Amino acid sequence: MKKYLIALVPVTLLAVMGLRSTSHSAEKNLTVAYKFSEDDLKPTETQKKVEELVTQILTNYHYRRVPLNDSLSSKILDNYIKELDGNKMNFTKQDIQDFEQFRYSLDDQLQKGDLTAAYQIYNVYRKRAKERFTFVNQLLTKPMNFNVDEIYTPDREKAEWASNKQELDEIWRKAIKSTLLDWKISGKADTSAIKDLKERYSRSEKYFDKTKSEDVFQQYMNSFTESIDPHTNYMIPKAAAQFNQEMAQSFEGIGATLRLDGDYVTIIELITGGPAYRSKALKPKDRIVAVAQGENGAFTDIVGWMTDDAVKLIKGPKNTIVRLKILSGDAAVGSMPKEVRLVREKIKLEDGSAKKDILEFTNNGRPYKLGLITLPVFYRDFEGVRKGEGDFKSTSADVKKFLTELKAEKVDGVILDLRNNGGGSLVEAVSLTGLFIPQGPVVQRKHADGEISAEFDRDPSVTYDGPLAVLVNRFSASASEIFAGAIQDYKRGIVVGEQTYGKGTVQTLVDLGRFLKGEPDNVGQLKITMEKFYRITGSSTQHKGVTPDIQLPSGFSAEEYGESSQPSALPWDMIATSKYTPSADVNEQIVSSLNKKYQEHLKSEADLKKLVADFDYWKKAKERKTISLKEDKRRKEIEEQKKRNSQDLAEELADVEKPETKTEVKTDSVSIAQAKQKAAKERREKDAYLKETERLLTDYIFLAPSNGIKITQNKK
């Protein structure tokens, strides 16, 4: 879920601030005595220069101004080891002890452009991985006994390092046995399972052999940058090109950003408006274990694949079907993958545009008409702005049009749905807030040099001043948090849902080629944090995000998802409050009354009771850290999961958009539009969070009837 609010500050800013171009003299001596063998991966001279340049930029211009010292060196070493072997399946305890020689020297090496330790550690990892491939091949020649009563712990992140090779062999034996047992229970023949698993690890070994020096360099540099801040990253040219393409909002396929995490191709971000986003069946941290083409194509196992090769399989012609087997990021230990069906398409900027609906709702025996505006991202046509186009596309313009239409239709209140909205344009977050308030400050910014400024809504008109509810969840971030926080601070409406992500930082892109000219290789880009956001109350949105007035049940803990799950995240803090005048629309008494109503709903509404029960079940299931490797016990575990999942999975698959190509479906534009409207209505009826927001908004209208809609605009 990393939707960056990028400040498009010219890279010349750094030059103005005094950053010199970097050049190395040939006289620099390595501080670590290590001789690379012929088979080892080695750093290039250009990489050494990039390392020193990035170190200069981060130590001088990053918001945090973290000193490059022994403490940071220690964090970098731990990050790098975790990046290479996070599940502790390759290194032994002796390897880790050997790496201790670098714990307090990486800071010195970074300043000198010395990459010896980084590549020395990686080459040990490379050697250990090859030993594991050899062991797996030997193990798969022997029969497995699935009647032995033993257990396996898949998540080894907090486990001790294996004392020796024999302990690693035992860990890997159980891991292989677990995979074979699951395949056996799913109906795959033993011979087929052995063949497929041999192919999986053979393929992984080939991919491993294709690792290049630049891949190692990026891993190490990001172990450095992410020790300072999780949103500061170094991108090699290939990664930089992909990032720039994503920022241009032009995508093909399912609409997801993928990255290799261990052996799994993992979803990092869902592209707003894309098939994966609209399916509601996928989320960040989900792992793709297999891919199939069309309605009936056979699944291809992609565990161990490189991301580029997996993407080639997932992508395809527009309007074709791809089926994925997904292992949820928050799944309990030993969970079986679910199947998700998607229709590929080209994703354009307008696919993430705001949408308007009318909801008919009855509460306390009284019918209500509510306006629903769904906003997937804060968009703004910067190119249209640059050209001076008067009707350029923007969030605030679209929402203003919808609000005017909703007022004409005499809605009783409006819900603005910001769930899964990862942010976007800061300008639009400010402008959107201005549609609901008279002029005033919306957000404060603190720069790396300590200077504080505020972004203002300077338009005194108010487009909509009726009852308002803002719906957020754990994946509402950045610009979404600015808007929701401002609405809450101005007491302009109620905020409902889950605690938001907590990303209160701004990043600037730096093209390193501007400072390293004449290099034989492209040197990539650096994304660096240089600002923090603060609410008008002075409270940072960092870490805490926005806490809703009425908090609904959540399946996502702050320890697993959001900014607070990142060890190096910048801290929460406060600055001075801006001068602003809150409205009288919401007060503590109203919020207290609504929370009492919500507690009553928890006891009486079936959808909320089911939601709470499901979250309780999965919380307990996730607490289980081991799975059985005895066939009859494992079958019982899987059957229990299937019973629990069957109804939820059926609902998820029913919500996935079906293609409009079957003969019994009318394909004229009117019929397609009607079918989509019907499907959207059915999804809304199953949306427990939206239904509860409708209840709370109508309770709010009932409790504060004087806040009814006002058709006229306020001018001040």
Side-chain angles (χ1 to χ4, degrees):
M1 142 43 290
K2 294 183 180 178
K3 196 73 174 180
Y4 305 105
L5 190 55
I6 298 294
L8 298 175
V9 179
V11 294
T12 51
L13 171 66
L14 296 181
V16 170
M17 295 171 74
L19 183 63
R20 63 180 177 83
S21 294
T22 302
S23 61
H24 276 241
S25 61
E27 298 83 41
K28 275 199 179 289
N29 294 318
L30 295 176
T31 59
V32 179
Y34 178 74
K35 186 176 181 180
F36 290 101
S37 70
E38 186 176 340
D39 293 336
D40 283 346
L41 288 177
K42 312 171 187 66
T44 67
E45 291 302 314
T46 297
Q47 288 167 359
K48 296 174 185 177
K49 296 177 184 179
V50 171
E51 178 192 47
E52 187 173 356
L53 173 62
V54 169
T55 302
Q56 284 186 49
I57 294 174
L58 292 182
T59 53
N60 287 287
Y61 306 114
H62 188 279
Y63 181 91
R64 204 169 206 166
R65 296 288 203 275
V66 175
L68 194 58
N69 54 21
D70 288 354
S71 176
L72 185 61
S73 175
S74 181
K75 291 178 183 177
I76 295 169
L77 178 64
D78 289 338
N79 275 3
Y80 189 43
I81 292 172
K82 185 177 180 179
E83 178 75 17
L84 294 175
D85 193 14
N87 211 32
K88 301 178 180 176
M89 298 282 284
N90 291 281
F91 288 136
T92 63
K93 188 176 292 184
Q94 184 59 55
D95 292 328
I96 301 302
Q97 290 174 358
D98 291 343
F99 299 152
E100 283 296 312
Q101 63 180 301
F102 306 122
R103 182 162 296 281
Y104 302 115
S105 63
L106 295 180
D107 54 326
D108 302 313
Q109 294 179 39
L110 283 165
Q111 295 182 77
K112 297 177 180 179
D114 184 354
L115 288 161
T116 309
Y119 280 79
Q120 183 176 342
I121 292 171
Y122 181 81
N123 285 320
V124 173
Y125 171 70
R126 192 164 176 251
K127 180 181 178 182
R128 296 291 176 262
K130 286 182 175 291
E131 291 172 356
R132 293 298 102 210
F133 292 135
T134 300
F135 173 75
V136 169
N137 285 331
Q138 294 171 348
L139 183 67
L140 291 175
T141 63
K142 305 171 185 176
M144 290 279 184
N145 184 353
F146 297 115
N147 293 317
V148 178
D149 194 1
E150 55 184 353
I151 59 173
Y152 170 55
T153 306
D155 184 358
R156 288 185 38 78
E157 184 178 351
K158 296 181 180 179
E160 294 291 324
W161 292 98
S163 298
N164 48 46
K165 179 179 178 296
Q166 288 69 36
E167 274 193 31
L168 273 181
D169 287 349
E170 180 64 6
I171 292 166
W172 276 80
R173 181 190 69 80
K174 288 186 175 182
I176 296 299
K177 183 176 180 180
S178 174
T179 300
L180 290 174
L181 178 56
D182 284 349
W183 285 359
K184 179 183 178 69
I185 292 173
S186 69
K188 183 177 284 192
D190 291 348
T191 53
S192 178
I194 294 292
K195 176 177 175 292
D196 289 349
L197 205 52
K198 281 184 176 180
E199 288 179 355
R200 172 189 286 186
Y201 283 98
S202 174
R203 186 171 55 244
S204 295
E205 186 170 12
K206 289 177 182 177
Y207 285 134
F208 198 82
D209 289 337
K210 290 180 181 179
T211 301
K212 298 178 181 178
S213 176
E214 66 173 6
D215 300 316
V216 179
F217 181 60
Q218 179 168 260
Q219 276 186 304
Y220 178 64
M221 291 306 294
N222 281 329
S223 297
F224 168 34
T225 62
E226 292 175 15
S227 297
I228 298 174
D229 161 43
H231 303 292
T232 293
N233 310 104
Y234 167 71
M235 293 174 277
I236 58 176
K238 179 174 64 175
Q242 181 181 354
F243 179 83
N244 292 335
Q245 180 189 17
E246 291 170 0
M247 288 305 295
Q249 293 285 318
S250 176
F251 311 92
E252 291 183 356
I254 66 170
T257 301
L258 308 175
R259 186 176 71 192
L260 189 64
D261 186 1
D263 287 332
Y264 292 99
V265 173
T266 303
I267 295 173
I268 301 302
E269 180 182 6
L270 299 178
I271 308 308
T272 302
Y277 177 92
R278 295 199 312 272
S279 75
K280 309 293 185 186
L282 299 172
K283 60 184 179 297
K285 294 192 179 183
D286 283 355
R287 293 156 287 177
I288 305 174
V289 299
V291 181
Q293 310 300 327
E295 294 283 13
N296 304 306
F299 275 98
T300 300
D301 182 289
I302 65 166
V303 176
W305 282 40
M306 297 294 282
T307 307
D308 290 349
D309 292 313
V311 167
K312 290 175 184 175
L313 203 60
I314 295 168
K315 280 187 174 182
K318 189 172 71 170
N319 296 328
T320 58
I321 295 167
V322 62
R323 293 169 13 252
L324 309 175
K325 279 191 177 178
I326 299 293
L327 193 58
S328 297
D330 59 348
V333 168
S335 295
M336 301 299 288
K338 64 181 179 181
E339 183 177 327
V340 176
R341 175 189 175 283
L342 301 170
V343 180
R344 300 178 178 104
E345 60 185 59
K346 185 175 181 69
I347 301 97
K348 300 177 182 178
L349 179 61
E350 53 264 29
D351 293 324
S353 299
K355 293 178 175 58
K356 180 197 74 170
D357 292 287
I358 297 288
L359 308 176
E360 303 288 346
F361 191 76
T362 300
N363 192 2
N364 297 316
R366 174 187 162 185
Y368 291 89
K369 183 192 288 188
L370 303 177
L372 171 66
I373 297 176
T374 305
L375 185 60
V377 68
F378 286 81
Y379 51 89
R380 182 179 178 86
D381 182 3
F382 288 101
E383 183 65 17
V385 175
R386 188 183 66 80
K387 292 179 179 178
E389 297 174 1
D391 59 346
F392 64 87
K393 188 170 183 61
S394 71
T395 301
S396 54
D398 289 348
V399 173
K400 184 174 184 177
K401 172 176 171 289
F402 291 154
L403 290 172
T404 302
E405 293 170 353
L406 290 171
K407 287 196 300 184
E409 296 184 61
K410 294 183 169 29
V411 295
D412 296 292
V414 169
I415 297 172
L416 193 58
D417 189 350
L418 295 180
R419 287 177 295 174
N420 303 317
N421 183 322
S425 168
L426 170 63
V427 175
E428 289 303 318
V430 174
S431 297
L432 185 66
T433 305
L435 301 180
F436 300 93
I437 66 167
Q439 61 188 16
V442 174
V443 64
Q444 300 186 83
R445 301 168 70 166
K446 185 178 179 182
H447 307 266
D449 60 4
E451 180 184 349
I452 297 173
S453 61
E455 300 293 333
F456 283 82
D457 163 44
R458 301 190 184 279
D459 183 353
S461 66
V462 178
T463 302
Y464 175 76
D465 56 3
L468 173 68
V470 180
L471 177 57
V472 295
N473 68 0
R474 191 63 180 159
F475 301 107
S476 303
S478 200
S480 292
E481 296 173 298
I482 290 170
F483 173 80
I487 293 297
Q488 191 176 60
D489 294 337
Y490 274 100
K491 302 189 183 303
R492 178 57 195 85
I494 57 172
V495 179
V496 181
E498 303 169 83
Q499 182 180 355
T500 61
Y501 192 86
K503 182 182 182 294
T505 58
V506 191
Q507 286 70 46
T508 297
L509 282 176
V510 180
D511 182 359
L512 300 178
R514 296 287 298 272
F515 305 97
L516 286 172
K517 296 179 180 178
E519 289 299 316
D521 304 318
N522 196 335
V523 295
Q525 293 179 336
L526 178 68
K527 179 161 60 66
I528 177 175
T529 298
M530 296 184 72
E531 292 183 43
K532 278 181 74 175
F533 282 129
Y534 294 81
R535 293 167 64 162
I536 53 177
T537 59
S539 174
S540 171
T541 56
Q542 179 68 5
H543 259 304
K544 290 187 177 182
V546 176
T547 301
D549 298 305
I550 303 94
Q551 284 192 260
L552 304 187
S554 177
F556 304 106
S557 68
E559 292 74 27
E560 294 177 289
Y561 293 87
E563 193 78 1
S564 52
S565 68
Q566 305 285 348
S568 63
L570 271 66
W572 174 89
D573 62 343
M574 288 195 70
I575 59 174
T577 302
S578 292
K579 291 183 179 179
Y580 70 100
T581 304
S583 75
D585 293 351
V586 179
N587 56 43
E588 290 184 9
Q589 183 179 355
I590 287 175
V591 172
S592 177
S593 297
L594 289 175
N595 273 294
K596 289 179 181 177
K597 287 284 186 182
Y598 166 60
Q599 293 302 320
E600 293 173 6
H601 299 164
L602 281 173
K603 298 174 184 177
S604 61
E605 301 297 337
D607 54 352
L608 282 180
K609 288 195 284 187
K610 181 179 184 302
L611 198 64
V612 172
D614 286 345
F615 287 154
D616 287 344
Y617 171 82
W618 287 112
K619 183 179 179 181
K620 291 176 183 177
K622 286 169 68 176
E623 289 173 355
R624 188 179 72 243
K625 302 300 181 184
T626 61
I627 57 176
S628 176
L629 295 181
K630 189 177 182 183
E631 185 173 350
D632 57 350
K633 287 188 176 181
R634 182 69 182 129
R635 284 187 183 275
K636 289 179 181 177
E637 291 174 353
I638 292 174
E639 284 304 315
E640 182 184 350
Q641 288 174 16
K642 283 182 177 179
K643 287 178 183 177
R644 189 77 191 188
N645 289 347
S646 58
Q647 183 178 355
D648 294 339
L649 182 57
E651 290 177 357
E652 281 182 359
L653 294 177
D655 285 344
V656 176
E657 292 186 13
K658 303 292 182 182
E660 309 293 345
T661 54
K662 294 186 177 181
T663 54
E664 69 270 21
V665 178
K666 294 182 180 180
T667 57
D668 62 279
S669 59
V670 174
S671 298
I672 292 175
Q674 290 174 342
K676 286 186 175 181
Q677 282 184 334
K678 181 180 178 183
K681 183 178 180 181
E682 290 173 352
R683 282 197 296 274
R684 288 197 298 269
E685 288 298 318
K686 298 175 184 176
D687 188 338
Y689 292 100
L690 179 59
K691 298 300 291 184
E692 179 58 13
T693 305
E694 292 175 57
R695 294 185 197 107
L696 290 168
L697 179 57
T698 51
D699 284 337
Y700 169 47
I701 296 169
F702 182 79
L703 289 168
S706 61
N707 287 336
I709 189 165
K710 309 175 185 69
I711 304 299
T712 58
Q713 288 188 341
N714 291 335
K715 296 269 188 179
K716 292 189 178 181

